[in-house]
Amino acid sequence: MISKIVSGGQTGADRAALDIAIELGIACGGWVPKGRLAEDGVIPDAYPGMVEAPDEEPNTRTALNIKDSDATLILSHGDLFGGSKFTASTAEQVDKPWLHINLARLSVPEAVPEVTRWLAAHRPATLNVAGPRSSDDPVIYAKTKRVLEAVLMDMKAATGDPALRGDLFAVALARRDAALANFRHWDQVRWLVPYWYCVLATAVGWLMAYLANPQNEILLRAVTGGLGVFGVLCLKLVWNLGNYHNATLEGYERFLDGIPLDVQVKSALQADLPFALMGARIWSSATCWFFIFIVVLTLGFATTAVYGLWW
């Protein structure tokens, strides 16, 4: 699941992540301050894949590591402060998954399943690891290394842990229910869009019949032009909702692919899901015909607005 581990190269949690990656044969690297600076001097060349940031400011390399990774794990003893707090706030701002493990509250054996479940839920290919430097927390290096070693070594055996499998199934079921609820909500909007347009089109059609004389030409062109613009907005809404529906389903399917559950269980979790609005099956969807219907009406009203009525 994890193909690369990155960190800022500082002493403490950062170095623990790099060391365990090297020991387990996992690719490692990350952005480091310009000059490869750390509190113990220059970051050793023994750590491969380290890239110097444009400046020496630690927050710069922190932000770059968050940007270039799929998720960020922060380990500490107690509440976050300093660079670790900046890491959490930055991950939140850029909407990247992050997890804080407070080792003052959790022992290493208790922290391992927490991290494992979180990784299974988010499936990061590149994991960014952060935490205090050694001068701020002398034991964070050893604790971080123990947690990561246990997590990475146990991930291959996750499918054999009934308790973890139960937790993963519960997470997957919750994600499925959320995806279905989300689909039902926006599906109602997809049905309402053509209804809104039909009501307005009927009203405009009645107005055109009632005011059908050359003296009202400008008014009728303005009204049909306005309805043409509204039709374009409706088309954009239906298009965006279709893309959002597809992205939601694809995200759920990627999530299922990445968690260690039996094929039969995954098939059951995928049963009765609405199909994606793409490929040949789109022609059997109401959304497709709604879209075509609105296109035809919009073109008709736009043509009327441009060329006027035939008297």
Side-chain angles (χ1 to χ4, degrees), residues 38-141:
E39 71 170 355
D40 60 346
V42 177
I43 298 172
D45 293 334
Y47 297 109
M50 312 307 288
V51 181
E52 293 187 32
D55 55 53
E56 299 177 1
E57 174 58 44
N59 286 348
T60 301
R61 61 96 155 105
T62 297
L64 289 170
N65 279 329
I66 293 170
K67 177 184 176 182
D68 290 351
S69 60
D70 301 307
T72 295
L73 174 65
I74 309 171
L75 300 99
S76 72
H77 288 96
D79 295 335
L80 297 178
F81 65 91
S84 297
K85 188 173 183 179
F86 176 79
T87 301
S89 63
T90 303
E92 190 73 30
Q93 289 173 7
V94 299
D95 197 27
K96 288 290 187 77
W98 66 280
L99 175 69
H100 173 217
I101 293 295
N102 185 350
L103 294 170
R105 182 177 59 86
L106 298 175
S107 66
V108 170
E110 291 171 334
V112 169
E114 290 270 346
V115 176
T116 302
R117 280 191 287 267
W118 176 73
L119 291 174
H122 294 284
R123 303 183 303 105
T126 301
L127 176 66
N128 178 38
V129 179
R133 63 182 67 189
S134 293
S135 59
D136 292 329
D137 188 342
V139 299
I140 194 63
Y141 174 90

